[in-house]
Amino acid sequence: MTLQRWVFLRKLTAAAASSSPPFSLPSSLSCCTHVLGFSQSAAANMAEEAKKLAAYSAVDNNVQNNQVVGVGSGSTIVYAVDRLAERVRQEKLNIVCVPTSFQARQLILQHGLALSDLERHPELDVAIDGADEVDAQLTLIKGGGGCLTQEKIIAGNSKCFVVIADYRKDSSVLGEQWKKGVPIEVIPMAYVPVSRVIAKRFGGEVNLRMAVSKAGPVVTDNSNFILDWKFEDVQNWSEVNTAIKMIPGVVETGLFVNMAERAYFGMEDGSVKVRKAPAN
């Protein structure tokens, strides 16, 4: 089934179910609707293809020879490293990679790329990373994978910070698509008072992120905890980010404000949408 046909059938079925009164699909289409029974699998495959499109486009348009490249974390970055390694082999590029996490470090080593760090390369030419959500101003929520602090350090020390994502992460305002809140890395002993202060000052709900395959909370690469703040309203994110970082015990927030230069979104129709940061 083609991408366009899948999208058409999904929308048509949704319209049939939500209309008042409901209507039945024509017999010419009913034979195809069984495909929607595994629509979740199809949607997942579509999202993966969109991630790959965004990653490949970002690497092709932003990485050049003799550069130091910051390598982000998450599922989308896997495709970026695949493409980066492919270009290094084919074009004989001299590229040095600085990782944002244990995962990124392993990807770099597995692909035989040159590994470095901020001690040897304190200034990077470009950093490429994913995002949990991107708004119209290129403000990001990051940290769904728990690597927000290292990711922000790498992005902040790069001449150019590029974001890659699929169409599900593209929003007009934060919170439109991503419903898990803003990740906040905290010193373990401070997670309760920090949670109370954030909820009191900014509203919403603050939860300690619990691990899935171990007992207890998620522990970051820095041996800290993660709080997820589910905010209620659109905020002045620059002010909120600064205010939260001033709370004793907060290490870093997953709000990336005025950091990204451009974002590449892999779309449902197989295209790639590029959004540039607004001019200041």
Side-chain angles (χ1 to χ4, degrees), residues 104 110 169 183 252 260:
Q110 289 168 9
K169 311 299 178 64
E252 189 54 88

Side-chain angles (χ1 to χ4, degrees), residues 11 26 28 48 51 60 75 83 89 97 104 111 118-119 135 159 201 206 208 211 237 249 267 272:
K11 291 180 177 178
S28 60
E48 288 303 311
K51 292 177 185 180
D60 288 348
S75 59
R83 179 56 179 161
R89 290 192 301 269
C97 298
H111 285 78
L118 290 177
E119 291 179 321
D135 75 5
K159 297 176 184 177
R201 291 183 60 179
V206 185
L208 177 65
W237 295 117
M267 304 306 291
V272 176

Side-chain angles (χ1 to χ4, degrees), residues 120-195:
R120 287 173 286 182
H121 293 92
E123 184 177 61
L124 287 68
D125 295 293
V126 60
I128 300 176
D129 205 349
D132 299 310
E133 189 169 37
V134 185
D135 75 5
Q137 304 300 311
L138 250 58
T139 300
L140 319 174
I141 292 178
K142 289 178 51 59
C147 306
L148 56 150
T149 298
Q150 300 98 302
E151 290 171 345
K152 191 173 282 189
I153 291 170
I154 293 298
N157 287 283
S158 300
K159 297 176 184 177
C160 176
F161 176 40
V162 176
V163 178
I164 52 177
D166 63 78
Y167 53 88
R168 301 172 301 174
K169 311 299 178 64
D170 183 11
S171 298
S172 56
V173 295
L174 295 184
E176 183 178 80
Q177 304 281 359
W178 181 252
K179 304 300 182 182
K180 297 182 180 180
V182 175
I184 300 165
E185 185 165 349
V186 298
I187 300 297
M189 67 174 290
Y191 84 91
V192 171
V194 170
S195 299

